[in-house]
């Protein structure tokens, strides 16, 4: 693969640079392969990014080196990259493959979004989804996350909410439920916090709702705080900046239930996610 090349993406001419750079040195995964992954997954990824201010995590020298979060529009961004100003920050928006490719070419490996979208005038809407982030403490793992995920699913189903599981590509799992948009971010946060407190009371040996790290060994921190309006969560189908190119990957409840029962449940690599998309389509399409 050449070091750099000019391409036309949806009518936009882009110069893709340093395509041979190893963004994941341990697996010798190049920037070109990362761009290719995002191009292949774009049809299912873009609807989850649409109308959401985008925060990126960039690794200029690959995941073996330093990274930084970037909320603001990148310096030198083209005029055709849409943007919105929220709380004194001008964020990029991503609506098509050219815009996505431009940002990924800047070594943006991780894509983080809030649980709310903006309207046509750039105003923040009420959240259209609730998220529960399951974060395993030392000594716990995806099996325990899966056990808690089933508890959360069963409890929220009593409220009429359908839950969609996503292994995070890092250590844990996110659980999403679509919302009709009648609750504020504060109300959604309160609902998630009440759920976390309730499950901690029922299962104190497995669940913790407080962020205090000393309380978390061997347990699953049920993180309700990512529903706060100012917070973001890794977007489904985003790569993670870990040692290997894992992905925030939608999963089936059959997989989660099997994992809760002891069957091996692992984070998925980007090639596995592409294979699953070919076979199963977008498992979180009903969130849209």
């Amino acid at each position: 693969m050449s070091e750099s090349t000019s391409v036309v993406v949806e009518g936009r001419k882009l110069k893709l640079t340093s395509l041979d750079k190893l963004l994941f040195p341990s697996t010798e995964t190049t920037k070109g392969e990362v761009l290719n992954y995002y191009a292949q997954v774009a049809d299912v990824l873009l609807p989850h990014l649409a109308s959401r201010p985008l925060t990126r995590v960039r690794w200029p020298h690959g995941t073996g080196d330093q990274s930084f979060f970037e909320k603001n529009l990148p310096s030198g961004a083209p005029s055709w990259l849409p943007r919105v100003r929220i709380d004194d920050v001008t964020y990029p928006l991503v609506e098509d493959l050219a815009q996505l490719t431009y940002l990924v070419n800047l070594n943006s490996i991780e894509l983080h979004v809030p649980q709310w979208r903006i309207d046509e005038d750039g105003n923040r809407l009420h959240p259209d989804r609730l998220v529960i982030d399951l974060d395993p403490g030392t000594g716990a793992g995806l099996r325990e996350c899966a056990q808690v995920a089933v508890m959360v699913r069963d409890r929220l189903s009593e409220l009429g909410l359908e839950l969609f599981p996503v292994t995070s590509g890092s250590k844990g799992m996110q659980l999403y439920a679509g919302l009709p948009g009648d609750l504020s971010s504060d109300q959604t946060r309160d609902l998630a916090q009440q759920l976390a407190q309730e499950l901690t009371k029922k299962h104190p040996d497995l669940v913790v709702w407080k962020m205090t790290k000393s309380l978390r060994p061997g347990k699953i921190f049920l993180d309700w705080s990512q529903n706060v309006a100012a917070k973001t969560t890794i977007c489904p189908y985003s790569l993670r900046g870990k040692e290997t190119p894992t992905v925030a990957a939608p999963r089936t409840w059959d997989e989660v239930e099997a994992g809760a029962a002891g069957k091996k449940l692992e984070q998925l690599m980007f090639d596995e996610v592409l294979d699953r998309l070919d076979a199963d389509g977008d498992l979180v399409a009903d969130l849209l």
Side-chain angles (χ1 to χ4, degrees):
M1 185 177 292
S2 61
E3 182 67 15
S4 65
T5 188
S6 293
V7 297
V8 176
V9 182
E10 298 190 347
R12 305 290 186 187
K13 187 174 182 179
L14 298 172
K15 184 178 181 181
L16 306 182
T17 58
S18 304
L19 295 177
D20 294 330
K21 179 191 295 182
L22 295 180
L23 288 187
F24 294 88
S26 69
T27 55
E28 298 187 346
T29 303
T30 66
K31 180 178 174 181
E33 290 174 297
V34 168
L35 283 160
N36 183 57
Y37 166 77
Y38 275 117
Q40 291 189 71
V41 83
D43 283 348
V44 293
L45 169 64
L46 288 171
H48 295 286
L49 295 176
S51 300
R52 299 187 196 273
L54 181 62
T55 297
R56 294 84 61 216
V57 188
R58 294 171 58 180
W59 275 264
H61 305 292
T63 58
D65 207 296
Q66 293 183 335
S67 65
F68 64 95
F69 272 83
E70 185 174 51
K71 294 179 178 288
N72 280 289
L73 195 74
S75 175
S79 60
W80 47 262
L81 183 66
R83 60 210 65 188
V84 65
R85 192 158 183 83
I86 303 286
D87 298 334
D88 298 324
V89 176
T90 300
Y91 292 87
L93 300 168
V94 171
E95 310 288 346
D96 65 28
L97 179 56
Q99 297 157 10
L100 176 63
T101 301
Y102 171 79
L103 292 171
V104 174
N105 188 54
L106 298 177
N107 306 301
S108 303
I109 293 178
E110 292 190 0
L111 309 176
H112 294 248
V113 291
Q115 312 316 316
W116 45 268
R117 300 181 190 264
I118 59 166
D119 64 18
E120 293 180 354
D121 297 319
N123 299 310
R124 182 162 51 201
L125 298 169
H126 282 342
D128 61 346
R129 65 190 191 191
L130 173 147
V131 65
I132 302 292
D133 184 70
L134 304 180
D135 185 9
T138 304
L142 276 181
R143 179 181 181 181
E144 290 78 12
C145 283
Q147 292 169 345
V148 175
V150 171
M151 297 175 190
V152 175
R153 178 198 64 184
D154 293 347
R155 180 65 182 93
L156 288 182
S157 70
E158 297 173 5
L159 303 179
L161 295 176
E162 181 181 5
L163 221 56
F164 298 86
V166 175
T167 45
S168 69
S170 181
K171 296 185 299 180
M173 182 182 297
Q174 285 93 34
L175 306 172
Y176 290 96
L179 297 175
D182 55 351
L183 298 178
S184 69
S185 291
D186 285 349
Q187 290 171 319
T188 305
R189 173 207 61 201
D190 291 346
L191 173 61
Q193 185 181 41
Q194 290 166 12
L195 171 68
Q197 291 170 335
E198 177 184 318
L199 289 181
T200 298
K201 186 175 182 179
K202 288 184 177 179
H203 306 279
D205 57 332
L206 186 58
V207 181
V208 60
W209 73 273
K210 291 184 177 180
M211 298 183 186
T212 309
K213 288 189 179 293
S214 62
L215 299 176
R216 291 160 62 175
K219 300 180 182 181
I220 303 301
F221 172 44
L222 205 157
D223 187 357
W224 44 270
S225 71
Q226 291 187 30
N227 295 284
V228 172
K231 293 286 191 74
T232 61
T233 306
I234 192 74
C235 187
Y237 299 108
S238 173
L239 281 161
R240 302 306 304 265
K242 302 300 178 183
E243 183 178 0
T244 60
T246 51
V247 172
R251 309 301 287 259
T252 68
W253 278 111
D254 285 346
E255 290 178 291
V256 175
E257 289 172 349
K263 186 174 181 179
K264 195 171 187 180
L265 182 64
E266 296 182 307
Q267 304 291 343
L268 296 179
M269 301 274 282
F270 68 160
D271 54 342
E272 295 175 297
V273 170
L274 292 174
D275 289 343
R276 289 165 62 93
L277 272 174
D278 287 340
D280 304 323
D282 182 10
L283 295 176
V284 288
D286 287 346
L287 273 176
L288 300 171

